[in-house]
Amino acid sequence: MAKMERYVVQLDDELWFPDPRHGLEDGWFAIGGDLSPNRLILAYQHGIFPWYSFRDSDEPLWFCPMSRFVIFPSQIHVSHSMRTLMNKGIYHCSFNKDFDGVIRNCGRVNGRYEAEGAWLSEDIIRAYTRLHKMGWVSSVEVWEGDQLVGGLYGGTYKKTFIGESMFSLKPNTSKIALIFLARYMEKNHLTMIDCQIESPHLKSMGGVHIDYEKYMRLLNMD
């Protein structure tokens, strides 16, 4: 079998993406275009996301890994210590109560904005805030009293939640947000949380790899 040629495509102003199966091994397959709502929605429909250091690139870099890291809501792992913490009633959760607070904390907590390779720029914040106002992107907030102490945000397409970023101001509050989301999705017969990239944090909570073809079948389930 001939080895597949791999390359990165330069996008133009037209609304399109090339076949991401021809991208590089790390999932990078396109550069350029814009962060318009229509392009980001098209990206969600194909498992594509922008991911780039805003200080090092003037154009968006587009990724679509062929091995996808996901959590199935019914399979989320809740440790004994997490159950104990959640049962104390210290924290409560909400949907879409403070999207701006969530996305800005995701960009700046623990010095993220100043860090090398930082990707959550003001352009990204504006782009996903527009999508939030259009109903495509949602946030989960974790509160201690009236103080926002953790959360996550991401896109929704059919029965999939596409996670973008999460943060904690108190230990384990991003995990609480993810568990809250997974339980809501399981109750409402939703299919999959797309974590995009593997991390030890998400793996410990039940994340698994699936191939892109299976991912697309699940993404397009009605």
Side-chain angles (χ1 to χ4, degrees):
M1 182 181 295
K3 188 174 181 180
M4 179 184 291
E5 184 180 0
R6 297 189 176 276
Y7 46 81
V8 174
V9 174
Q10 176 71 53
L11 299 179
D12 52 30
D13 292 334
E14 296 297 318
L15 186 60
W16 70 289
F17 284 108
D19 187 342
R21 295 172 182 82
H22 292 281
L24 305 185
E25 292 288 349
D26 64 358
W28 181 27
F29 75 100
I31 182 172
D34 54 37
L35 297 173
S36 67
N38 286 340
R39 191 180 297 275
L40 291 172
I41 291 167
L42 181 64
Y44 275 150
Q45 293 169 345
H46 293 86
I48 295 165
F49 54 92
W51 189 34
Y52 61 103
S53 168
F54 62 84
R55 294 188 180 91
D56 299 320
S57 178
D58 294 329
E59 299 181 280
L61 309 185
W62 299 93
F63 283 75
C64 185
M66 293 295 102
S67 178
R68 307 306 294 246
F69 197 65
V70 305
I71 293 175
F72 296 109
S74 64
Q75 298 175 16
I76 193 162
H77 175 68
V78 184
S79 67
H80 175 73
S81 61
M82 282 301 300
R83 290 183 191 277
T84 300
L85 175 61
M86 294 170 69
N87 288 337
K88 289 180 178 179
I90 300 170
Y91 305 113
H92 63 279
C93 299
S94 61
F95 282 113
N96 294 323
K97 189 173 181 180
D98 188 3
F99 180 83
D100 187 66
V102 169
I103 195 170
R104 291 193 175 277
N105 272 291
C106 285
R108 295 185 178 275
V109 70
N110 299 325
R112 289 180 184 178
Y113 188 82
E114 292 77 23
E116 183 177 353
W119 61 271
L120 221 170
S121 64
E122 286 297 322
D123 287 342
I124 291 284
I125 289 173
R126 282 192 293 269
Y128 283 87
T129 299
R130 285 195 296 268
L131 285 184
H132 169 67
K133 292 177 179 178
M134 295 169 65
W136 283 91
V137 171
S138 301
S139 60
V140 176
E141 300 86 17
V142 181
W143 304 90
E144 183 177 13
D146 60 358
Q147 298 297 311
L148 181 66
V149 294
L152 59 83
Y153 79 96
T156 52
Y157 181 66
K158 294 189 176 181
K159 294 184 177 183
T160 295
F161 184 89
I162 302 104
E164 296 290 352
S165 188
M166 55 202 315
F167 79 98
S168 293
L169 295 180
K170 293 290 184 71
N172 296 313
T173 48
S174 64
K175 290 183 179 181
I176 291 173
L178 186 59
I179 293 165
F180 179 77
L181 172 66
R183 288 178 171 172
Y184 172 85
M185 292 180 68
E186 183 180 10
K187 181 179 179 180
N188 288 277
H189 309 291
L190 304 178
T191 306
M192 177 173 63
I193 301 170
D194 177 8
C195 303
Q196 297 184 339
I197 302 296
E198 179 181 343
S199 72
H201 172 76
L202 294 169
K203 188 173 183 179
S204 73
M205 299 191 70
V208 296
H209 284 278
I210 61 173
D211 64 45
Y212 181 64
E213 306 307 325
K214 180 176 182 179
Y215 172 88
M216 287 300 294
R217 289 195 300 271
L218 293 172
L219 183 69
N220 287 292
M221 286 178 60
D222 291 319

